[in-house]
């Protein structure tokens, strides 16, 4: 009975508000969710009013994400700029990104942890500020309020950020709910660039993150937000969300490749001089160059381990992965200088 809704959905996108309508809020379940189809003008206006009531607020929190090579989407869930997105958007932990706000403002960000099995990830805006954020459905799986047939809407930046167009909004209904992995499927179309974007219930509460995006509807699925707050196993003491905040790479699924030891790259060369290691060359675009390491610095230690020979650096880097954090201490003009860096890919 859900397929005929597609025509009504298109109608709602252009419907003009009129008169007094029933508007759902985050604390109540709207009556129209329990109807097979909206069969009166009042029903249509109530659905539209619920969407309009929340739309401006959630669009301010929906962002476009880019690493300079491709685009995805995400949504801010805290005032300090924590972003929920998909694992295949970030692809790795501790990777640099640019987040583009609805008004076109560009901000620096860095990926935190991810779960490659369920395609969920977190990203942190690293520029200080107070950001608009959305309410997240954190209920456990057996407590979720979303039901089959509920009205929902997605917001994202398909094809990448476009300031003239802004984020794209699509209203739909939940047509399938799966448990492994926990996902919602709607009858709304998703395309490239929607990945990582938010799926809201009609009250504007975040219930999912767009994951699988394909040419046909049954390929379009969103990871349920309750999965972020679940544990990977009964033995785990922390939820996936807590582990993502710590920058952990979880899962062995197809959505992101785990970091490989020995692939980390700092970006400077050294010469051995009288039992010390003097920096002889620095790639200015590398993590070390961006941090401030300079030619002529004397390398003292990496992560607290003394470095005396080139072989010491080689042995140390064999265990380091792309995105891993390393603290470099150098001696400059007789004073120690500390540089925390995140390794790039070799």
């Amino acid at each position: 009975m859900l397929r005929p809704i597609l025509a009504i959905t298109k109608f709602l996108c252009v419907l003009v508000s009129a008169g007094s309508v029933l508007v759902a809020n985050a604390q109540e379940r709207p009556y129209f969710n329990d109807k097979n189809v909206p069969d009166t003008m009042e029903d249509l206006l109530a659905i539209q009013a619920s969407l309009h009531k929340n739309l401006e607020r959630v669009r301010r929190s929906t962002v476009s994400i880019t690493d300079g090579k491709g685009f995805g989407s995400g949504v801010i869930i805290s005032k300090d700029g924590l972003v929920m997105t998909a694992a295949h958007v970030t692809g790795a932990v501790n990777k640099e990104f640019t987040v583009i706000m609805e008004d076109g403002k560009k901000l620096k960000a860095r990926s935190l942890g991810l779960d490659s099995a369920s395609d969920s990830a977190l990203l942190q805006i690293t520029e200080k500020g107070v950001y608009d954020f959305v309410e997240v459905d954190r209920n456990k799986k057996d407590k979720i309020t979303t039901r089959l047939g509920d009205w929902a809407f997605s917001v994202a930046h398909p094809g990448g950020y476009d300031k003239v167009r802004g984020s794209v909004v699509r209203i739909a209904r939940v047509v399938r709910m799966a448990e492994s992995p926990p996902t919602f499927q709607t009858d709304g179309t998703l395309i490239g660039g929607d990945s990582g974007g938010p799926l809201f219930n009609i009250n504007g509460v975040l219930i999912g993150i767009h994951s699988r995006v394909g040419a046909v509807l049954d390929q379009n699925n969103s990871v349920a937000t309750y999965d972020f707050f679940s544990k990977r196993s009964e033995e785990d003491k922390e939820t996936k969300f807590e582990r993502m905040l710590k920058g952990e790479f979880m899962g062995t699924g197809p959505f992101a490749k785990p970091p490989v030891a020995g692939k980390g790259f700092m970006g400077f060369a050294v010469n051995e001089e009288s039992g010390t290691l003097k920096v002889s060359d620095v790639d200015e675009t590398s993590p070390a160059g961006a941090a401030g390491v300079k030619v002529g610095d004397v390398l003292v230690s990496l992560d607290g381990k003394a470095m005396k020979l080139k072989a010491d650096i080689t042995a140390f880097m064999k265990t380091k992965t792309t995105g891993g954090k390393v603290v470099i201490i150098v001696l400059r003009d007789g004073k120690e200088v500390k540089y925390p860096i995140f390794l790039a890919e070799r």
Side-chain angles (χ1 to χ4, degrees):
M1 295 297 294
L2 296 178
R3 291 301 177 186
I5 289 301
L6 290 174
I8 298 174
T9 297
K10 294 178 182 178
F11 173 64
L12 282 169
C13 293
V14 296
L15 188 64
V16 179
S17 297
S20 177
V21 296
L22 299 174
V23 181
N25 60 50
Q27 286 73 43
E28 65 183 20
R29 179 174 175 80
Y31 78 94
F32 49 74
N33 266 348
D34 298 317
K35 302 185 74 169
N36 284 336
V37 294
D39 51 18
T40 67
M41 179 61 71
E42 183 181 56
D43 295 342
L44 295 173
L45 290 174
I47 295 168
Q48 177 189 254
S50 295
L51 173 65
H52 283 185
K53 177 182 178 181
N54 298 294
L55 192 53
E56 182 179 353
R57 172 179 58 84
V58 302
R59 289 183 79 176
R60 290 197 301 267
S61 302
T62 301
V63 299
S64 177
I65 301 170
T66 180
D67 61 357
K69 300 176 183 178
F71 287 90
S73 297
V75 61
I76 301 172
I77 62 167
S78 70
K79 65 180 180 181
D80 62 349
L82 185 63
V83 176
M84 270 188 177
T85 186
H88 77 270
V89 172
T90 61
V93 300
N94 290 325
K95 182 179 176 182
E96 292 184 350
F97 289 89
T98 297
V99 163
I100 309 175
M101 307 296 287
E102 181 74 14
D103 62 3
K105 184 176 182 179
K106 296 182 178 180
L107 300 167
K108 294 180 180 179
R110 181 172 292 278
S111 59
L112 301 178
L114 60 83
D115 182 1
S116 183
S118 64
D119 198 20
S120 51
L122 294 179
L123 179 146
Q124 179 68 58
I125 297 174
T126 53
E127 298 188 36
K128 291 184 178 181
V130 178
Y131 301 98
D132 291 314
F133 63 96
V134 300
E135 179 184 351
V136 183
D137 184 354
R138 298 171 180 245
N139 286 318
K140 294 181 179 180
K141 182 169 63 175
D142 59 346
K143 300 292 185 181
I144 60 172
T145 57
T146 302
R147 302 175 192 172
L148 193 65
D150 279 3
W151 286 88
F153 66 97
S154 64
V155 184
H157 293 273
Y161 180 78
D162 186 321
K163 188 172 184 178
V164 175
R165 178 202 65 192
S167 55
V168 175
V169 181
R170 280 149 293 185
I171 192 167
R173 296 188 85 172
V174 177
V175 296
R176 182 173 179 269
M177 299 170 67
E179 291 187 7
S180 184
T183 52
F184 297 130
Q185 180 190 334
T186 72
D187 58 7
T189 303
L190 300 175
I191 64 174
D194 284 322
S195 294
L199 176 69
F200 298 98
N201 66 21
I202 202 65
N203 294 331
V205 177
L206 181 67
I207 62 171
I209 294 295
H210 302 324
S211 169
R212 300 148 187 83
V213 174
V216 294
L217 289 179
D218 61 6
Q219 294 176 349
N220 293 331
N221 293 276
S222 302
V223 182
T225 53
Y226 68 76
D227 186 58
F228 280 77
F229 304 100
S230 67
K231 296 179 180 179
R232 286 184 55 82
S233 69
E234 293 182 358
E235 292 75 25
D236 281 359
K237 295 182 179 180
E238 297 179 308
T239 65
K240 294 180 184 180
F241 187 83
E242 291 169 325
R243 294 174 66 176
M244 287 182 199
L245 287 175
K246 295 179 178 180
E248 289 190 38
F249 187 109
M250 295 174 285
T252 56
F255 299 106
K257 294 181 179 180
V260 178
K263 290 290 187 179
F265 173 68
M266 292 187 289
F268 66 90
V270 296
N271 288 330
E272 295 180 359
E273 294 185 10
S274 304
T276 65
L277 295 174
K278 182 174 286 188
V279 177
S280 59
D281 187 36
V282 179
D283 180 350
E284 296 300 326
T285 63
S286 71
V293 177
K294 299 182 181 299
V295 172
D297 289 344
V298 175
L299 180 61
V300 176
S301 66
L302 297 174
D303 280 351
K305 298 180 180 180
M307 297 289 135
K308 299 293 185 182
L309 304 171
K310 288 183 179 180
D312 295 336
I313 301 177
T314 301
F316 176 84
M317 293 301 294
K318 282 183 178 179
T319 66
K320 299 303 173 182
T321 62
T322 301
K325 184 179 180 179
V326 173
V327 176
I328 301 175
I329 295 181
V330 300
L331 195 64
R332 181 185 300 162
D333 298 328
K335 297 181 180 179
E336 288 191 353
V337 184
K338 181 187 295 186
Y339 295 109
I341 68 169
F342 291 97
L343 301 177
E345 184 173 4
R346 184 178 298 278

